[in-house]
Amino acid sequence: MAAERESAIVVEISEFDEVLDDHRKALDPSREWGMPAHLTMLYPFVRPADVNHTTLSRLEAVATKVSPFDAVFDDFGWFADQVVWLAPSQPEKFEHLIRQVVDAFPECSPYGGAHDDVIPHVTIGDGGDVELMRAAASAIRPRLPLTTRVASLSLMAGSREPGSWQVVERVRLGRAR
């Protein structure tokens, strides 16, 4: 039986793959599923079969309210000893964008309501051996800071099947399509 498809709104940061990809291949299951380096805005999002013109229009309305911005990632964070991640130096820019997306889709609870606060981050390792995750952070640290221009939101859909996550729609920040 095929894994159930789901969707997410993310900021793709695929330019970080040069630095992160080898570590993510070993430590982050979402990498095998086809998810590029990214910062999650809202997951789970609507069922892929339910994405329609209205959904995309609502997402575009959010995107037009937020101007593109530069982001610097210069440190690491941990969720217990289960997840190691890159931390943005100015998380408030992402927090603002996350709030905009969540407010536009109140029927979608971030992380299914599992966490009280959504902390902006780019996952490097999730559920891997803690020593391997520490080693990954040590190997990446000399390459910091990593910078990116945040200029779009991506609606992605897939499952836990290898290579299944794909971009459904990409909307540019600060202007309509």
Side-chain angles (χ1 to χ4, degrees), residues 10-130:
V10 303
V11 171
E12 292 178 79
I13 311 178
S14 54
E15 64 266 32
F16 286 8
D17 282 340
E18 178 183 334
V19 175
L20 304 181
D21 202 45
D22 287 341
H23 303 289
R24 290 187 64 235
K25 282 179 187 175
L27 299 169
D28 183 4
S30 77
R31 166 59 179 81
E32 180 183 353
W33 305 333
M35 188 62 81
H38 67 281
L39 197 145
T40 301
M41 297 287 107
L42 185 55
Y43 168 84
F45 192 53
V46 301
R47 291 176 350 125
D50 295 338
V51 172
N52 57 31
H53 178 73
T54 301
T55 308
L56 297 175
S57 293
R58 288 166 64 192
L59 183 58
E60 188 168 289
V62 169
T64 60
K65 293 180 198 174
V66 179
S67 296
F69 60 92
D70 294 321
V72 176
F73 291 76
D74 60 358
D75 204 359
F76 298 93
W78 287 83
F79 297 131
D81 61 356
Q82 297 297 303
V83 179
V84 62
W85 42 274
L86 277 178
S89 63
Q90 295 182 310
E92 62 276 1
K93 291 180 178 183
F94 289 104
E95 290 165 351
H96 172 74
L97 186 52
I98 290 167
R99 269 193 311 279
Q100 295 291 317
V101 173
V102 170
D103 288 350
F105 296 95
E107 69 276 18
C108 300
S109 183
Y111 297 100
H115 308 289
D116 292 335
D117 295 312
V118 177
I119 298 172
H121 66 280
V122 176
T123 300
I124 298 165
D126 183 355
D129 177 274
V130 70

